[in-house]
Amino acid sequence: MSHTAGIRQTQKLKTRQALLDAALLLLEHQSLSSLGLREVTRAVGVTPTAFYRHFEDTAALGVALVEETLGSLHGLIAAVLTETGDSEERLDRSVEVIARHVGAQPAHFRFIAREQHGGVGPVREAIAAQLFRFAEEVALALGQEPGSAGWSEEDLLMLGGFYVDHMVMTASALLEAGPEREREVVRQTRRRLRLVTIGRAHWLDEAPARD
Amino acid sequence: MSHTAGIRQTQKLKTRQALLDAALLLLEHQSLSSLGLREVTRAVGVTPTAFYRHFEDTAALGVALVEETLGSLHGLIAAVLTETGDSEERLDRSVEVIARHVGAQPAHFRFIAREQHGGVGPVREAIAAQLFRFAEEVALALGQEPGSAGWSEEDLLMLGGFYVDHMVMTASALLEAGPEREREVVRQTRRRLRLVTIGRAHWLDEAPARD
DNA sequence: CAAGTCAGTGAACACTCGTACTCCGAACGG
DNA sequence: CCGTTCGGAGTACGAGTGTTCACTGACTTG
């Protein structure tokens, strides 16, 4: 039972990762549906045929990139929301966390924003599935707060999805704005989230139960 | 001063429109950056060379599609918001209007959603410009309501942008959901907008002026 | 240490692509 | 009516595409 290293498998993973990295780099200025298999292998320095040892398609490579980008983020946002502090602080910290992540690996998030509605079905579905998981996690975290007493499961999921969608929106806004307009976007996002938070506080007072 | 017909120009516009229509059809399952010039002309039934008589690029064709889709919508949302009725009614009508438009011309909105963050710069910019105009219009309409007394210009624009972004989000959600899940999406969107509306009503009570 | 596995090679296949030419003929303007 | 304009056709080019195939040689395994 030697699942340690293995020179062969190590090298294979290395090449695979090189393919992913090269693809991400190329995807900065184009979308996945126009990304060529040869283009990627050329950037890595391997033969086009070698690509097939790792991915069936460029679509499959896209799905792998989705996992790489979003898979490691689970629990993160929920953790921020569960932190202590008043709602205003938590809100600021959430936005800050997003801004930091986007700033640290812009290419990954640009990829997600671009392919969320892009032309490659499997990738769209993979992103949607990951985002839905985020929404569930956020809903769960929100449900454990005292401020969410009396909220239905459905409304919590609605709110969680709202936050998640807005995070994606913010990420893509940050990317389009560039570093110099980052503070502006952060400021506007905080205000929008504050609006939602205020609405949340008065939801049970005013929300009609109809339909 | 004969800007009437002209057989020649009429025919030219006809071909141009045929190119746009064919492109839109092809873009249903791929994104603009992977759309070939030849592919479009083949679908129309003209020579590849003829394309250049109408557009310099496929990018230019994309920009034209943006104008076609969003150019005719100006004033529409603002008009709905300016209607009489309580805020709840206006909100429902807004969502209804979106759902109707998306249902009537899905391909156009799919294109917008896809290319908003797509790989073609000029098209992204064209969409962003149009959406900003919408935000301004909505902000103006909101500012004229009694409920917006005391709101700063900046906050009105923030709110207008919020609504517009959410409309785009809703449109793309409707497209992904398909007709059978449409009611579900509409319902969720109404709730989200209601949340924002409630927050809006209490904005001045609770929003700190800081930063 | 021999047998087998398998990541990566290299050449070839049958395409599609954007673009540069020349050319045609119907619509146009004076 | 006649010369000009110009939307579109036709052809050809070089470059790039995904995929298949037989292959090699370093690693792994019994």
Side-chain angles (χ1 to χ4, degrees):
Chain A
M1 55 163 69
S2 63
H3 36 76
T4 41
I7 300 182
R8 207 177 200 137
Q9 197 168 359
T10 309
Q11 181 55 39
K12 178 168 186 182
L13 283 177
K14 211 169 170 181
T15 311
R16 184 191 140 101
Q17 192 58 46
L19 286 169
L20 288 171
D21 293 347
L24 203 58
L25 197 70
L26 291 166
L27 284 170
E28 207 123 355
H29 298 295
Q30 62 184 313
S31 38
L32 186 63
S33 67
S34 72
L35 180 69
L37 168 160
R38 295 181 98 109
E39 203 177 345
V40 180
T41 57
R42 196 184 312 128
V44 173
V46 294
T47 334
T49 340
F51 184 91
Y52 292 107
R53 301 281 181 200
H54 304 277
F55 307 102
E56 193 175 340
D57 264 341
T58 48
L61 179 143
V63 172
L65 274 177
V66 172
E67 311 294 331
E68 184 179 75
T69 305
L70 297 181
S72 62
L73 252 63
H74 286 290
L76 194 145
I77 302 109
V80 174
L81 288 176
T82 319
E83 273 183 3
T84 53
D86 68 5
S87 70
E88 190 75 17
E89 281 178 40
R90 286 204 311 272
L91 192 151
D92 286 0
R93 275 195 53 76
S94 300
V95 179
E96 191 198 320
V97 164
I98 300 171
R100 184 144 32 88
H101 269 81
V102 173
Q105 20 181 317
H108 283 81
F109 286 92
R110 169 163 287 128
F111 166 72
I112 296 294
R114 191 158 284 173
E115 301 304 327
Q116 187 187 8
H117 306 290
V120 184
V123 174
R124 275 205 313 274
E125 288 160 22
I127 294 176
Q130 293 281 347
L131 292 184
F132 185 71
R133 279 186 56 196
F134 280 120
E136 285 177 322
E137 290 170 20
V138 172
L140 193 69
L142 290 173
Q144 291 167 341
E145 291 187 5
S148 303
W151 279 61
S152 70
E153 290 255 349
E154 190 193 2
D155 281 347
L156 281 172
L157 196 56
M158 180 273 287
L159 187 58
F162 201 179
Y163 278 129
V164 170
D165 285 348
H166 223 272
M167 283 170 190
V168 176
M169 229 161 71
T170 301
S172 99
L174 283 169
L175 288 168
E176 280 168 25
E180 68 281 357
R181 296 212 309 114
E182 173 180 327
R183 297 193 60 77
E184 195 179 326
V185 172
V186 167
R187 191 174 124 88
Q188 168 132 321
T189 301
R190 272 209 292 253
R191 298 198 154 204
R192 287 185 178 189
L193 287 181
R194 195 179 298 152
L195 196 63
V196 174
T197 305
I198 294 173
R200 192 184 155 209
H202 296 82
W203 178 252
L204 292 175
D205 311 342
E206 309 198 14
R210 69 185 172 94
D211 198 13
Chain B
M1 53 162 71
S2 65
H3 37 77
T4 41
I7 301 182
R8 204 172 204 149
Q9 198 168 1
T10 309
Q11 181 54 39
K12 179 168 186 183
L13 283 177
K14 211 168 169 180
T15 311
R16 184 191 140 101
Q17 192 58 46
L19 286 169
L20 288 170
D21 293 348
L24 203 59
L25 196 70
L26 291 166
L27 285 170
E28 207 123 355
H29 299 293
Q30 61 184 315
S31 39
L32 186 63
S33 68
S34 72
L35 180 69
L37 167 163
R38 295 181 97 109
E39 203 177 345
V40 180
T41 57
R42 197 186 310 129
V44 173
V46 294
T47 337
T49 8
F51 184 91
Y52 292 107
R53 303 282 182 195
H54 303 277
F55 307 101
E56 194 175 339
D57 264 341
T58 48
L61 180 143
V63 173
L65 273 177
V66 173
E67 311 294 332
E68 184 178 74
T69 305
L70 297 182
S72 62
L73 253 62
H74 285 290
L76 195 146
I77 303 108
V80 174
L81 289 177
T82 319
E83 273 182 2
T84 53
D86 69 4
S87 70
E88 190 75 18
E89 282 178 38
R90 285 203 311 272
L91 193 150
D92 286 0
R93 275 196 52 75
S94 301
V95 180
E96 192 198 319
V97 164
I98 300 171
R100 183 144 33 88
H101 269 80
V102 173
Q105 19 181 315
H108 283 80
F109 286 92
R110 170 162 286 128
F111 166 71
I112 296 294
R114 191 157 285 171
E115 300 304 326
Q116 188 187 7
H117 307 291
V120 184
V123 174
R124 276 207 311 275
E125 288 161 21
I127 294 176
Q130 293 281 347
L131 292 184
F132 185 70
R133 279 186 56 195
F134 281 120
E136 286 177 322
E137 290 170 20
V138 172
L140 193 69
L142 291 173
Q144 289 167 343
E145 291 186 6
S148 304
W151 279 60
S152 70
E153 288 255 348
E154 190 194 1
D155 281 348
L156 281 172
L157 196 56
M158 179 271 288
L159 187 58
F162 201 178
Y163 278 128
V164 170
D165 285 348
H166 222 272
M167 284 171 190
V168 176
M169 229 161 73
T170 302
S172 98
L174 284 169
L175 289 168
E176 281 167 25
E180 66 282 357
R181 295 213 309 114
E182 173 179 325
R183 295 194 62 77
E184 195 179 327
V185 173
V186 167
R187 191 174 123 88
Q188 167 131 320
T189 301
R190 271 208 293 253
R191 297 199 156 205
R192 287 186 179 189
L193 287 181
R194 195 178 299 151
L195 195 64
V196 174
T197 305
I198 294 173
R200 193 183 153 207
H202 296 82
W203 178 252
L204 292 176
D205 311 343
E206 309 198 15
R210 68 185 172 93
D211 199 12

